[in-house]
Amino acid sequence: MNVYTTDKIRNVVLLGHGSCGKTSLAEAMAYLAGMTNRMGTIADKNTISDFDKEEQKRQFSIFASVLPIPWGEYKINILDTPGYFDFVGEVEEAVSVADAAIIVVSGKSGIETGTKKAWELCDKYKLPRMIFVTEMDIDNASYRQVVEDLQNLYGKKIAPFHLPIRENQEFVGYVNVIQQKAKKWNASGSVDKFEVPDYSLDNLKLCREALLEAVAETSEEFMDRYFNGDEFSDDEIRSALRLNVLDGSIVPVLMGSNTLARGMYTLMADIVKYFPSPEKVECAGIDTKTNEVFEANYDFSKPKSAYVFKTIVDPFIGKYSLIKVNSGVIKTDDVLYNYHRDTEEKLGHIYVMCGGKAEEVSELHAGDIGALQKLSKTLTTDTLSTKARPVAYLRTNLSKPYVSMRYKAVNKGDEDKISQAIQKMMMEDLTLRHENDSENGQTLLYGMGDQHLDVVKSILLDKYKVDIELKRPKVAFRETIKQKADVEYKYKKQSGGHGQYGHVKMTFEPSGNMEEAYEFDQCVVGGAVPKNFFPAVEKGIAEAVLSGPLAAYPVIGVKAVLYDGSYHPVDSSEMAFKVAAKGAFKDGFMKAKPVLLEPIATLKVIVPDQYTGDIMGDLNKRRGRVMGMNPTDNGAQEIVADIPYIELYGYNTQLRSMTSGSGTFSYEFSRYEQAPPEVADKEIQERANKIVDAEE
């Protein structure tokens, strides 16, 4: 792979709904550029970007991948991303280093939820964008409908550049809306120019009008001329487009067929023509020595710095850190400093990734994307720079996982292997989280959705040769009491020699403090229980509250008071009083109207307006209490509700089903509340059955 200077580089991310054609588009572009002799297909499992076995098995993208496509004297770094929402972390990583985006839309399926999410991501990262409409070779694909729907959503900034020409139900050519000329592909792969067919004139008029409106919107002068009926020259149109595509005020719409590799040439040419090179993009970090802003701006003459946007960990090929060079020129054997880890890393070979293959290069210029192998301490979102000028760039804000499953090893003895494998996977995937829930005796995996966790399970088996079982997670119930109880408990044991004797009289009542498990106090008079046994009594209570008498859940909010008892001068011991206290607690707890408490979450659901009624109806079925609604910046609604944790299981799948994938949610722990009798009775019975099963 050649070395490219900053001005010859374009970093473009492919975004869109699942199965809209992103991977096949990248494949067609690579084929047209001469990178392959034959186009791979998803069905044949031989595309460049979907190289992972899991992707080939499932036939959709799971990981973001980079394809450096040479195009004349330029290099277009294509970042192919997953379309399904469970793998949004990969999308966010890719978008963080892109300088522009192509939003891919299926001409057959039209605008989908993923299309709108892609647009929102571009707005968030202020990315220039184009729309590419695929599947123009399919007869029922409608380019005109897609353009109209885009205009209804995003207004006059939508500017169609081309429209398709079909003859005998075949996609044979296109009309260039700027030139108002028609072009037809010939047998050699080039195009023949001809007059626009009569049947395309009406569509051309509509597209031309939309394009001119978009251009007119860019300045007051153009707006006045447009309303006065003046014609814009082709050069004026192109000049306005170059300027305004960069700031997002014009969004070109192109089209083609991925499977026929038609429309790719104009797309590649327009990427080079209208999308910015990195040198035209702002990029800044913090000089950690001076706390001043470091204006990197992809300037090759400034001190070296790079941002690690993704990590690949493979049990066979090792670890690759994918970087974008933000300033300077990074070369083999450079020593770079990681401010976040306070460590220096010596670079070995430098690579560019082409799907799953690494190609060595001698250097990477500012703005380019490449890979470094075997960095010992560096992780995703870290910054590399010189020690003389240590820089830190803002870390990518990745989506937080809220869907959890309990897991355990299928084969005993695999626990350590599974733990190590999951640690490696979490280095790759920052939306995967592992949690050891000791109080419920479970280990949890958190992901972006059920499909995400299913992929994790499959990768563990195929790549790391360990098998896990995923189950519904246990909910962290608690136990407490509602009344006061006065109990007496005597522990007496004689078995030759010294015996055991501990005798306590205690009261148990609600403490009113649900933040603490228990409060302990004593008001013993006359030395009925010697002071040196008080700590043993408290220790007995401390152990007893770990597993309550009702359903073996931890206890909260109990006040225990030792007020009387007795002792034996020879047989009494700390152990005896500890056992007596535990016995008293068990008796007293069950006499003080014990109740089961369930955890309550504060849930926030963000959905488009039209789904709010369905969402609130579903929350009511889940025992949720809607606390309020707040409009968001992008015209959606945020619904805030209190909901029991046990009702959150499966909510992610239901929410996506109800909102066609457009709804998102988050939650955090709020408090404990008394569980309804039907919930408490069921939980207590289930726990009792498990205890019986364990004893048998």
Side-chain angles (χ1 to χ4, degrees), residues 86-135:
D86 282 33
F87 312 105
V88 67
E90 297 284 330
V91 181
E92 291 166 334
E93 287 176 348
V95 169
S96 72
V97 293
D99 302 318
I102 295 172
I103 300 176
V104 183
V105 179
S106 163
K108 181 181 177 182
S109 303
I111 307 300
E112 298 175 271
T113 300
T115 314
K116 299 172 186 176
K117 285 184 176 289
W119 187 282
E120 290 169 7
L121 260 180
C122 291
D123 282 347
K124 178 180 176 181
Y125 285 88
K126 297 181 172 59
L127 289 183
R129 69 212 73 165
M130 292 181 186
I131 310 289
F132 188 81
V133 185
T134 62
E135 299 185 312

Side-chain angles (χ1 to χ4, degrees), residues 197-349:
D198 290 343
Y199 58 78
S200 294
L201 289 175
D202 287 343
N203 275 348
L204 173 59
K205 184 178 179 182
L206 289 170
C207 289
R208 176 81 175 174
E209 192 68 24
L211 176 66
L212 294 179
E213 279 193 21
V215 171
E217 291 282 330
T218 61
S219 74
E220 289 187 13
E221 179 192 347
F222 278 178
M223 183 65 78
D224 290 340
R225 287 178 56 189
Y226 176 74
F227 280 120
N228 289 332
D230 290 352
E231 276 290 320
F232 301 134
S233 69
D234 288 358
D235 287 342
E236 284 178 322
I237 292 172
R238 288 195 179 93
S239 177
L241 290 172
R242 283 193 184 94
L243 185 63
N244 292 283
V245 168
L246 288 178
D247 66 11
S249 57
I250 287 182
V251 178
V253 185
L254 292 80
M255 54 88 230
S257 165
N258 300 347
T259 54
L260 300 177
R262 289 181 173 174
M264 306 303 124
Y265 186 95
T266 52
L267 175 61
M268 303 279 267
D270 285 346
I271 286 172
V272 171
K273 191 185 301 180
Y274 295 112
F275 277 166
S277 64
E279 64 183 356
K280 294 181 180 178
V281 179
E282 293 181 355
C283 172
I286 295 294
D287 184 326
T288 59
K289 270 189 177 178
T290 64
N291 280 334
E292 294 177 350
V293 175
F294 176 72
E295 300 282 356
N297 294 337
Y298 306 109
D299 187 336
F300 76 94
S301 65
K302 290 188 175 180
K304 304 172 194 278
S305 69
Y307 177 72
V308 181
F309 71 93
K310 179 176 169 61
T311 301
I312 298 173
V313 182
D314 189 280
F316 304 109
I317 65 174
K319 174 186 171 186
Y320 283 98
S321 299
L322 273 60
I323 62 167
K324 184 179 187 184
V325 183
N326 288 356
S327 59
V329 179
I330 289 181
K331 301 181 179 181
T332 303
D333 295 330
D334 276 344
V335 177
L336 295 179
Y337 176 67
N338 185 329
Y339 164 77
H340 304 288
R341 314 289 163 195
D342 190 23
T343 186
E344 287 187 306
E345 302 266 24
K346 183 173 182 180
L347 311 188
H349 299 296

Side-chain angles (χ1 to χ4, degrees), residues 9 59 63 146 152 177 185 194 200 219 250 252 275 297 304 329 342 420 446 455 526-527 533 562 588-589 592 651 686:
I9 295 168
Q59 298 198 357
F63 307 102
V146 171
N152 290 334
V177 177
W185 289 286
F194 67 105
S200 294
S219 74
I250 287 182
F275 277 166
N297 294 337
K304 304 172 194 278
V329 179
D342 190 23
Q420 291 169 14
Y446 281 84
V455 165
F533 291 132
L562 173 66
F589 192 91
Y651 186 66
E686 285 181 0

Side-chain angles (χ1 to χ4, degrees), residues 20 62 73 119 177 193 219-220 281 350-351 365 386 388 390 415 469 522 649 661 681-682:
C20 67
I62 294 170
E73 59 183 332
W119 187 282
V177 177
K193 297 180 181 178
S219 74
E220 289 187 13
V281 179
I350 299 173
Y351 302 92
H365 284 241
T386 63
E415 287 80 7
E469 181 183 14
Q522 60 79 28
Y649 183 73
D681 292 345
K682 181 181 177 183

Side-chain angles (χ1 to χ4, degrees), residues 2 29 111 132 167 268 406 429 436 520 546 685 689:
N2 296 331
M29 294 165 79
I111 307 300
F132 188 81
E167 291 180 358
M268 303 279 267
R406 172 168 52 116
D429 184 355
N436 183 22
F520 175 72
L546 297 177
Q685 186 59 50
N689 292 340

